[in-house]
Amino acid sequence: GGYSVYDQFPSMGLLSAPAAAQATANITEALQSSPYPTLLEGHLVIAFADSRDKLLAVDRATGRLFFLSQGNGMRLVPVKEGGAGIVEWLGAFVDRLERGVFRAMPLVPTEPDSKGINLFPRYLPNVIDPSVSRVVTRGVEVIASTVHMIQNTQHGWTYSIRLRLLPPGHPEHSPAAERGFETCQLTTRVWKICPNEAAAEAVQRV
């Protein structure tokens, strides 16, 4: 799966066993001329993006999964704090697919051929998910979702904001006379981002 954000398009695909062994050998060889020649020692690469800027590796001894992070030096970062095994990770991924949190759709909205498993989570009624939220104001639905860019610690998190005017027949539809307008268009926006308990950071665009 993957997603697109500005000029970045990290999209990974799982590898077959022979392909994983070959990819591990190729990347390990390429690392020999870098400051990190032993980075993948004891690990098997099981997925990577075409751009090679996102990589998933499993520890051969423990089964723990790691992402390759290229922020502040190249290193392997656990997929989950405290460690997550490959079975646990795949189980959680499949669960989100089956529930419709992730779905197949164009990863770049303007490019239909970029179809894949979109990792920006969908909003599902009656499902509590800290990575996605929804609000409706005067018939306009706004859904915000986030993805952790673990491979790039400089950016940390990225987000998707989706807006739509709810159509007639939708339970939360508001008639034009009630909401005060026939159509709507986003012209300016201000996002207030609150990382953990830190002070809110305002992002304003026109």
Side-chain angles (χ1 to χ4, degrees), residues 36 61 68 75 80 92 94 100 109 121 124 140 148 151 163-164 167-168 172 177 180-181 183-184 191 203 206:
Y36 313 98
L68 174 67
R75 59 197 176 95
K80 179 181 178 182
V94 170
L124 297 176
V140 178
H148 188 198
Q151 79 280 6
L163 305 95
R164 67 167 176 156
E172 295 173 277
F181 49 85
T183 61
C184 61
W191 313 136
V203 179
V206 177

Side-chain angles (χ1 to χ4, degrees), residues 132-154:
V132 61
S133 59
R134 174 184 180 271
V135 67
V136 176
T137 305
R138 295 169 65 188
V140 178
E141 176 189 69
V142 181
I143 296 177
S145 55
T146 60
V147 172
H148 188 198
M149 300 175 68
I150 196 167
Q151 79 280 6
N152 194 328
T153 56
Q154 180 179 357

